[in-house]
Amino acid sequence: MNLTVLGAIFRRDFVNYFSNATGYVFICIFVVLTSYSAFWPDGFFSNNLANLDQLSERMPLILLVFIPAITMSIWAEEKRRGTDELLLTLPASDLDVVLGKYLAGVAIFTVSLLFSMLSVQLIFSYGLGTPDPLLFCCTYLGYWLVGLAMLATGMVASFLTSNLTVAFILAVMFNAPQAVASFVDRSIDYLETVPWLQGVAQSETFTEFLRGALKSISAFEGFSDFSRGVVSLGGALHFVCIVALMLYICMILIGRRHWAGGEDGQSLGFHFAVRAVALLLVVGGLNTLFGRFDPLRFDMTTDQINSLSDQTVSLVRDLGDKKDLPPIKIDAYVSPNVPSEYAGQKAELLSVIEELRSISGGKIVATKHEVENFSEEAELAERTYGIEPRTVTTRVRGSLEEEQVFLGAAIRCGLDKVVIPFLDKGIPAEYELVRSISTVADEKRKRLGVVKTDVPLFQSFSMQGERPESRLVTELKKQYDVLEVDPTSPIADTYDVLLAVQPSGLAPAAFDNFVAAVKRGQPTAIFEDPMPVAWGGVVGTDQPKRPGGGGPMGMFGGGGPPQPKGDMDQLYRLLGARMDASQLVWQRHNPYARNLPMATDDWVFVDAAATPAAFSAESEITAGMKQALFLYAGGIGKTPGSKTEFLPLAVTNEESGYIPTGVAQGFLQQMMSQRDFDIRRRRTSQTYILAAHIRGAVQKVEDIELDESIDDEELRAEAEGEEDSADAAEAEADDEAPELNVVFCTDIDGLSNQFFDIRAIGADEVLDIDFRMQNVTLVLNILDDLAGDERFLAVRKRTRDYRTLEEIQIATADYEQETLKQQDDIRKEAEDEITKARERYSEQVAKIENDPSIDPIEKPQRLERVRIREQRKRDVTIAGLEKELSQKLAGSERELQSYIRGVQDRYKFLALVIPPIPPLLVGVWVYFRRRAMEKEGVSKDRLRYAKSVPTPAKKEEPVGAA
């Protein structure tokens, strides 16, 4: 390789491009198109994400026009001028010539891309937001790789003709498959609508083959990883292989003079054609191999928004060990454009699906369907999987609007399938997908027993009607084989985990059976609440049960004594821990003071942001958790002398105390004033434990140091009962004690449907609130840990934060607040006027009624006349005020929308004005620099624009002078 010749060809083509004004025109058009595509689409401001998603969708089409403008003159111009023969006579190989010209095209494209990158960054930094710099650079790296492949393809077109226009058109045609393949892929799902293709289109083999073929040539598929901030070997290799193939074809075309005819007159064209086809097959094989399994992938984003947890990676790669497992197919159904509130959730869903597919080694096949409402594909999704668009409320330019959104997925493996109808904002997409994959891939689920108590968890029927299944049980059925356990009989079966919610309400015999199961070593999650508020009719731990018959005084008015309850001291002694149910824990901390002003100190927010030690880092259940809410909860502590291992999971801060349970109950029933309620609070300035993990050998009762409140006779009776227990006798015979494995939580309200709704809401811009409460996560992690299932513990707790257009939000937030204040003032003013009109009417009526001078017989008639007259005046006044109120509110709303639209339009205008400035400045500098260089060493009188210097006239001597 002759580097001198290669460098000379590179410099010649590169300098010629930037010495011509046409080159700067093309660059200006390119940067304006990229900036326009990044900021002008409606999706940019509606998604509210500081990224280049809008540009990434359109960049292949922009390059489809810009790259041919660079490559059309690479060789066609040489042929037109006749300088190609001069290049071919240089002391260099064909490879030197091809590489020199290709590298010149790459340098020109790189400079153009840097101008685009600079202009886009300038617009962002002007006041839109702060995109992730590594994501930004990685996305442009993907654009650069796409350009490399298209440049090599465009060079092939330029080698085929000497006409620049034809070279441009051919380059567009050759690059079109890479640019439009991804768009054609989206229309495959509509093939079923073509009558004569329905039979073929319904074949999954055909559609998967067609999709695979299109993806193998699609530029969008190749750089989709880069657009998300992931540098992948497979994605880079896709473009490198295209470059190598096309450059080889260029060498074949430029070398035709050597092999057009041999000594025997036979052409070598077929020989080189076979070589090119063989290289094409090699390229296709490599792309297919690395498309199925990409060994090197790096999440370059600062916030690691594309990385999967170690448990997820291990679980997915273990699928490859199951040789008999059919491929797992994921069909994601999403709307092309979603509201800004759901843009991050959509990005997370598609990103996680792609990462799962890339590491599965071909075991996971993913298909993305962009579904328009009321389309054929929408009907197909509803008919096949029951995935329907959900109506969501969004804020669009200051006003609330409703929109139907698709955001679901179906996971299939053989005949098994799991459907995610809609991915709510508060639910991690990685958790939902991985759990669904595990469900369809596993043949056997773990068994979870739910003890039947007064808490209505399962579906039931009564005289009051049907009671639906709780959201907790519905959630658990996605992962476990959920069974209802009746404790009225001995619990003989063994479960992977046992769940008991408010077991204190069990009858004595049923409670004994439950305690016996715990004593036997059954892993158990106990949720006990001294004062439940979210479950109607469920009494607290120390509160008496209702009389028999079901009503407050028994059915049909009958009364009687309260139903007996189990002895909780029996359970406390077994665990070596106790909850004081006569007191409720309170804490001074409300992270939602602006949005939840009704929250009292009895709403205990366990918040890691405010109290770093709020959640135990030693337990997989709570490590990494951020926040949970305990409503009117109790505190649990270890019994002195207990030998069990007691690990606190959730604790309060030191600004805490207690209040008697009866006082709090009276306050909720409005039997006590706020002042009296606050007086009864006691601040202890100590932390309280709200949940704990208790493990260890079951202790003999005589080894436990008793609390003073425990009666000795009761303890001895318990000891006698223990000796009579068959399980305890067997354990003593084996000289082994069963191992306790219990998690005790002092609140059951976190299991209610309301907290599942809170999880679904997540960050809600409409409500202007960002719920970070992870009560559902805490419950599910407790059950998983006790069941020995660690697959989802870390995944549930993980959240992904996507960067938003925070600067533009700040720019419009103040105006929005001012507008809302104005609207409130307008409403208040109108309400005052309406109140005054009503008062005037009442005054007129009262004046007549209280006037003693009016004849009593005439008074009713005058009252009626005044009533009719004043009522008409009042109604007219109120109608006018209401109309005026409506007009003012509409005007205020229009002003707000106009202001927001003006802010957005200002950035759109900048997106068209700023981009051409840098290349134009460089072009002006190059122009004057070249002119200055041209004048160096040239005599001034030879310059075209030089002023003529007059020759001095000869001095005439006087006539006759000597």
Side-chain angles (χ1 to χ4, degrees):
M1 181 178 292
N2 192 330
L3 297 180
T4 303
V5 176
L6 189 153
I9 295 175
F10 169 81
R11 287 191 298 273
R12 172 177 174 269
D13 285 10
F14 182 78
V15 172
N16 284 343
Y17 188 88
F18 287 99
S19 299
N20 193 335
T22 306
Y24 292 99
V25 171
F26 280 119
I27 292 177
C28 288
I29 293 175
F30 172 70
V31 295
V32 168
L33 286 177
T34 55
S35 183
Y36 176 87
S37 299
F39 302 108
W40 273 73
D42 293 336
F44 177 74
F45 288 103
S46 63
N47 287 350
N48 192 33
L49 295 178
N51 57 28
L52 301 174
D53 286 351
Q54 314 305 316
L55 176 58
S56 297
E57 292 181 2
R58 296 161 178 80
M59 181 58 86
L61 297 179
I62 296 174
L63 296 181
L64 185 61
V65 178
F66 180 64
I67 294 297
I70 298 176
T71 60
M72 65 181 182
S73 61
I74 283 183
W75 195 254
E77 182 70 8
E78 302 285 359
K79 286 185 176 182
R80 187 179 67 84
R81 294 181 176 180
T83 55
D84 56 329
E85 295 295 336
L86 177 62
L87 288 176
L88 296 177
T89 57
L90 292 174
S93 63
D94 295 343
L95 178 61
D96 296 336
V97 176
V98 171
L99 283 181
K101 288 192 163 292
Y102 176 70
L103 293 178
V106 170
I108 295 169
F109 173 66
T110 302
V111 172
S112 305
L113 208 57
L114 289 175
F115 278 125
S116 171
M117 188 176 182
L118 174 63
S119 62
V120 171
Q121 182 59 41
L122 284 175
I123 297 172
F124 266 113
S125 60
Y126 182 77
L128 277 178
T130 307
D132 187 334
L134 295 179
L135 172 62
F136 191 82
C137 295
C138 191
T139 302
Y140 266 90
L141 175 60
Y143 299 156
W144 186 70
L145 291 173
V146 175
L148 296 188
M150 287 189 170
L151 282 168
T153 306
M155 280 184 61
V156 174
S158 185
F159 274 100
L160 293 176
T161 180
S162 60
N163 188 292
L164 294 180
T165 304
V166 175
F168 180 88
I169 295 174
L170 288 178
V172 171
M173 293 175 58
F174 291 171
N175 280 309
Q178 299 184 62
V180 303
S182 59
F183 299 98
V184 176
D185 180 29
R186 299 175 186 175
S187 62
I188 292 178
D189 299 305
Y190 296 96
L191 292 179
E192 291 191 3
T193 60
V194 182
W196 56 278
L197 283 177
Q198 285 183 352
V200 179
Q202 290 176 352
S203 171
E204 290 191 7
T205 304
F206 169 76
T207 55
E208 289 179 5
F209 169 77
L210 190 56
R211 280 196 176 91
L214 292 172
K215 286 182 179 180
S216 64
I217 62 174
S218 171
F220 184 84
E221 292 296 331
F223 91 95
S224 62
D225 287 339
F226 294 90
S227 66
R228 294 184 293 106
V230 177
V231 175
S232 63
L233 177 61
L237 188 64
H238 172 85
F239 298 109
V240 171
C241 289
I242 294 177
V243 171
L245 175 63
M246 294 302 168
L247 291 184
Y248 181 73
I249 294 177
C250 288
M251 290 181 58
I252 293 176
L253 294 176
I254 200 175
R256 283 182 298 178
R257 67 190 187 281
H258 300 307
W259 51 264
E263 294 181 358
D264 54 359
Q266 295 181 355
S267 174
L268 298 178
F270 178 76
H271 171 77
F272 282 96
V274 172
R275 282 189 178 185
V277 171
L279 183 58
L280 177 62
L281 293 176
V282 172
V283 169
L286 288 175
N287 282 331
T288 302
L289 174 63
F290 284 94
R292 292 173 61 90
F293 179 71
D294 195 346
L296 295 177
R297 298 176 66 85
F298 303 97
D299 185 2
M300 302 299 295
T301 58
T302 304
D303 302 320
Q304 296 292 292
I305 58 177
N306 300 298
S307 299
L308 300 176
S309 65
D310 295 337
Q311 292 90 339
T312 297
V313 173
S314 176
L315 188 148
V316 173
R317 288 182 174 169
D318 287 345
L319 297 176
D321 298 333
K322 301 179 180 180
K323 304 300 181 182
D324 298 332
L325 182 68
I328 298 174
K329 300 176 181 179
I330 302 178
D331 291 276
Y333 293 88
V334 297
S335 296
N337 296 305
V338 299
S340 60
E341 293 88 349
Y342 291 88
Q345 196 72 348
K346 175 185 174 182
E348 181 179 351
L349 174 64
L350 299 180
S351 174
V352 171
I353 288 177
E354 180 59 26
E355 291 301 311
L356 291 173
R357 183 203 61 79
S358 65
I359 66 173
S360 66
K363 275 292 185 179
I364 296 178
V365 179
T367 305
K368 181 182 73 172
H369 307 269
E370 290 196 340
V371 187
E372 297 283 357
N373 294 335
F374 311 109
S375 64
E376 293 287 340
E377 192 172 11
E379 182 181 353
L380 181 64
E382 180 179 356
R383 185 173 63 251
T384 307
Y385 302 113
I387 297 177
E388 300 176 346
R390 176 177 294 185
T391 301
V392 298
T393 303
T394 62
R395 187 180 296 275
V396 180
R397 292 187 172 183
S399 60
L400 298 181
E401 296 184 3
E402 289 188 347
E403 186 174 347
Q404 289 190 326
V405 177
F406 276 97
L407 198 60
I411 299 90
R412 297 174 293 151
C413 182
L415 299 178
D416 294 332
K417 70 177 179 180
V418 174
V419 177
I420 304 172
F422 191 86
L423 189 64
D424 292 304
K425 290 179 293 183
I427 303 177
E430 181 181 352
Y431 164 62
E432 280 289 293
L433 289 170
V434 172
R435 184 182 61 179
S436 300
I437 290 173
S438 301
T439 300
V440 298
D442 291 343
E443 298 179 358
K444 187 177 180 180
R445 301 186 183 186
K446 289 183 177 293
R447 300 173 75 236
L448 185 150
V450 181
V451 178
K452 186 177 180 180
T453 62
D454 293 337
V455 180
L457 296 178
F458 289 88
Q459 184 181 20
S460 62
F461 301 90
S462 63
M463 296 180 61
Q464 288 76 25
E466 179 182 355
R467 184 175 61 198
E469 182 179 79
S470 68
R471 299 273 293 278
L472 173 64
V473 173
T474 303
E475 183 80 10
L476 293 175
K477 286 183 176 179
K478 296 178 181 178
Q479 180 180 345
Y480 290 95
D481 183 10
V482 181
L483 304 170
E484 188 174 23
V485 179
D486 187 0
T488 57
S489 302
I491 304 175
D493 291 342
T494 300
Y495 302 91
D496 292 288
V497 60
L498 193 66
L499 171 62
V501 183
Q502 206 68 2
S504 62
L506 294 173
F511 187 82
D512 292 343
N513 291 330
F514 165 68
V515 173
V518 177
K519 189 183 302 182
R520 195 174 63 241
Q522 169 68 60
T524 307
I526 301 174
F527 289 82
E528 186 66 38
D529 198 327
M531 195 180 79
V533 294
W535 300 92
V538 178
V539 299
T541 304
D542 282 355
Q543 296 173 0
K545 293 190 67 174
R546 294 176 177 177
M553 295 296 294
M555 186 174 290
F556 307 113
Q563 300 180 55
K565 297 172 61 175
D567 181 13
M568 282 295 293
D569 287 335
Q570 178 184 355
L571 178 63
Y572 293 150
R573 290 194 296 272
L574 174 65
L575 301 179
R578 171 178 291 275
M579 180 186 74
D580 188 351
S582 65
Q583 298 176 354
L584 299 181
V585 173
W586 62 267
Q587 173 188 258
R588 292 280 166 80
H589 177 61
N590 182 6
Y592 306 98
R594 183 170 63 89
N595 305 100
L596 297 176
M598 78 292 295
T600 64
D601 291 340
D602 306 282
W603 294 29
V604 180
F605 290 93
V606 181
D607 192 353
T611 309
F615 293 101
S616 173
E618 301 178 20
S619 173
E620 288 294 331
I621 297 175
T622 53
M625 283 194 63
K626 298 179 179 179
Q627 188 182 99
L629 171 60
F630 292 77
L631 290 173
Y632 301 96
I636 185 174
K638 185 176 181 180
T639 303
S642 173
K643 297 180 181 179
T644 55
E645 179 184 346
F646 186 90
L647 176 63
L649 298 179
V651 298
T652 66
N653 60 31
E654 292 184 353
E655 292 191 25
S656 303
Y658 68 88
I659 189 170
T661 304
V663 173
Q665 190 174 15
F667 176 73
L668 288 181
Q669 296 173 354
Q670 300 180 353
M671 299 170 59
M672 180 179 296
S673 66
Q674 180 70 52
R675 179 176 177 277
D676 293 336
F677 181 60
D678 292 337
I679 291 176
R680 300 294 299 275
R681 292 183 187 275
R682 293 293 180 268
R683 179 172 179 174
T684 58
S685 299
Q686 68 180 37
T687 60
Y688 288 85
I689 301 171
L690 304 175
H693 197 168
I694 303 169
R695 285 174 289 197
V698 175
Q699 303 173 75
K700 295 181 180 180
V701 179
E702 57 267 20
D703 293 338
I704 304 176
E705 183 178 335
L706 299 180
D707 191 279
E708 294 180 356
S709 62
I710 301 177
D711 184 76
D712 291 344
E713 294 182 1
E714 181 183 0
L715 180 60
R716 285 192 292 272
E718 173 65 19
E720 294 174 0
E722 181 178 356
E723 291 176 357
D724 294 337
S725 171
D727 294 329
E730 182 179 353
E732 288 181 3
D734 296 337
D735 199 20
E736 293 181 0
E739 290 288 329
L740 286 176
N741 189 9
V742 174
V743 172
F744 196 103
C745 185
T746 63
D747 180 52
I748 70 170
D749 299 309
L751 283 66
S752 62
N753 292 343
Q754 290 89 331
F755 280 87
F756 283 86
D757 294 334
I758 289 173
R759 182 183 69 156
I761 292 173
D764 195 307
E765 295 182 7
V766 175
L767 299 177
D768 191 22
I769 196 168
D770 181 10
F771 283 126
R772 299 182 297 275
M773 290 172 275
Q774 298 174 292
N775 289 68
V776 176
T777 299
L778 177 62
V779 174
L780 298 179
N781 278 6
I782 288 173
L783 295 174
D784 280 4
D785 185 80
L786 291 172
D789 189 354
E790 300 179 354
R791 296 174 297 173
F792 313 124
L793 294 178
V795 179
R796 279 198 197 96
K797 294 176 286 189
R798 187 181 178 192
T799 57
R800 288 176 168 85
D801 297 322
Y802 291 85
R803 301 197 181 192
T804 60
L805 306 176
E806 68 271 6
E807 296 296 334
I808 196 171
Q809 288 177 303
I810 295 172
T812 58
D814 294 339
Y815 195 89
E816 286 185 7
Q817 292 297 326
E818 183 63 27
T819 301
L820 292 175
K821 184 178 181 300
Q822 291 178 359
Q823 292 177 355
D824 291 339
D825 293 341
I826 293 172
R827 289 190 182 94
K828 184 177 180 181
E829 181 181 352
E831 290 173 357
D832 291 343
E833 291 296 330
I834 292 173
T835 302
K836 291 178 181 179
R838 290 191 176 120
E839 289 177 352
R840 286 195 297 268
Y841 166 73
S842 301
E843 289 174 0
Q844 291 293 330
V845 172
K847 183 178 180 182
I848 295 175
E849 289 180 344
N850 298 328
D851 190 352
S853 62
I854 301 176
D855 185 34
I857 299 177
E858 185 184 358
K859 183 177 292 187
Q861 298 175 359
R862 294 185 63 177
L863 281 173
E864 183 64 19
R865 287 196 300 269
V866 171
R867 186 188 65 80
I868 295 174
R869 183 177 67 251
E870 294 297 329
Q871 188 172 6
R872 286 179 179 175
K873 291 171 61 177
R874 184 196 64 183
D875 293 343
V876 170
T877 302
I878 291 175
L881 290 172
E882 289 178 345
K883 182 178 180 180
E884 183 181 0
L885 170 63
S886 177
Q887 291 175 347
K888 288 183 178 179
L889 290 177
S892 177
E893 194 67 36
R894 283 194 300 269
E895 290 180 3
L896 175 60
Q897 293 182 21
S898 176
Y899 178 80
I900 295 175
R901 187 163 49 248
V903 173
Q904 295 178 359
D905 291 343
R906 181 168 71 249
Y907 289 106
K908 290 182 178 181
F909 174 76
L910 293 174
L912 296 181
V913 174
I914 292 179
I917 296 177
L920 287 177
L921 292 176
V922 173
V924 171
W925 180 83
V926 170
Y927 172 78
F928 285 105
R929 174 66 177 167
R930 289 193 62 192
R931 295 302 301 264
M933 293 177 63
E934 290 173 356
K935 291 188 294 181
E936 290 181 359
V938 180
S939 177
K940 292 184 178 181
D941 58 353
R942 297 185 59 186
L943 297 176
R944 181 184 304 175
Y945 51 85
K947 296 180 180 179
S948 58
V949 180
T951 304
K954 293 182 179 181
K955 185 177 181 181
E956 296 182 0
E957 296 181 356
V959 178

